[in-house]
Amino acid sequence: AQTVTQSQPEMSVQEAETVTLSCTYDTSENNYYLFWYKQPPSRQMILVIRQEAYKQQNATENRFSVNFQKAAKSFSLKISDSQLGDTAMYFCAPLYNNNDMRFGAGTRLTVKP
Amino acid sequence: DAGITQSPRHKVTETGTPVTLRCHQTENHRYMYWYRQDPGHGLRLIHYSYGVKDTDKGEVSDGYSVSRSKTEDFLLTLESATSSQTSVYFCAISERPGGLSPEQYFGPGTRLTVT
């Protein structure tokens, strides 16, 4: 089974601080994509960032960046300068064989003022 | 935001009744997906479509069927709803899963309760 593990069910961070969310996955695939999605209380799934497995350079998107370690099958998300609007569930999601997207159980992040 | 709508947004139905959920997109994307979201499981793929009349099963397809007669519409049917199908259902679309645009964009979700 291509499992995805998010080992932190809940996390909290002070506004303006930095927080890192962890994700590990298990696959025998060599080429795939990795995504982080955010789900605020509105329930809408919002794409945060993506990473191609064949790229060694870590993706960044404004305050969001990833630490991708392919050999370790690790894909963590770092949020810098946390804002109240970052409060949400965050899901790690590898995409295999173009259409097989697997999701972790999520990390509930609370940003405290 | 990607132009994806789902209908209905909420539905309560009784065990044994048929239910159809609709996903409509205005982006002309070829690929469409149905997921369910349950506590502790994240999202799990039910079925997906790679073109009109072309569909395939996902991780949790038992008890569900799908149809796609037009590019913009993807229907999910529960032939005889069971309480285990109480969930939040999400539709997603993708332009080129194997190319430069592999991202999936999600609709707002449908909360289905089977009593």
Side-chain angles (χ1 to χ4, degrees), chain B residues 3-106:
Chain B
I4 311 169
T5 57
Q6 293 183 229
S7 58
R9 294 293 311 279
H10 300 88
K11 186 172 182 64
V12 179
T13 191
E14 293 184 350
T15 298
T17 60
V19 176
T20 295
L21 308 183
R22 179 179 183 243
C23 177
H24 179 78
Q25 60 142 332
T26 58
E27 305 296 322
N28 200 34
H29 283 3
R30 180 178 172 187
Y31 293 80
M32 298 185 74
Y33 308 82
W34 277 108
Y35 291 89
R36 61 178 288 173
Q37 182 178 26
D38 303 294
H41 286 279
L43 276 72
R44 291 179 291 175
L45 181 65
I46 304 171
H47 282 281
Y48 69 95
S49 170
Y50 48 97
V52 174
K53 299 190 186 326
D54 293 323
T55 65
D56 205 349
K57 295 179 180 180
E59 184 185 4
V60 291
S61 60
D62 287 349
Y64 301 95
S65 62
V66 291
S67 65
R68 191 167 177 202
S69 59
K70 298 184 291 185
T71 298
E72 58 267 34
D73 290 328
F74 192 33
L75 303 181
L76 176 70
T77 297
L78 291 65
E79 301 290 348
S80 178
T82 68
S83 59
S84 65
Q85 293 176 311
T86 292
S87 188
V88 178
Y89 292 85
F90 285 94
C91 173
I93 65 174
S94 179
E95 186 174 8
R96 294 188 183 89
L100 297 178
S101 302
E103 298 87 354
Q104 293 185 16
Y105 296 97
F106 288 81

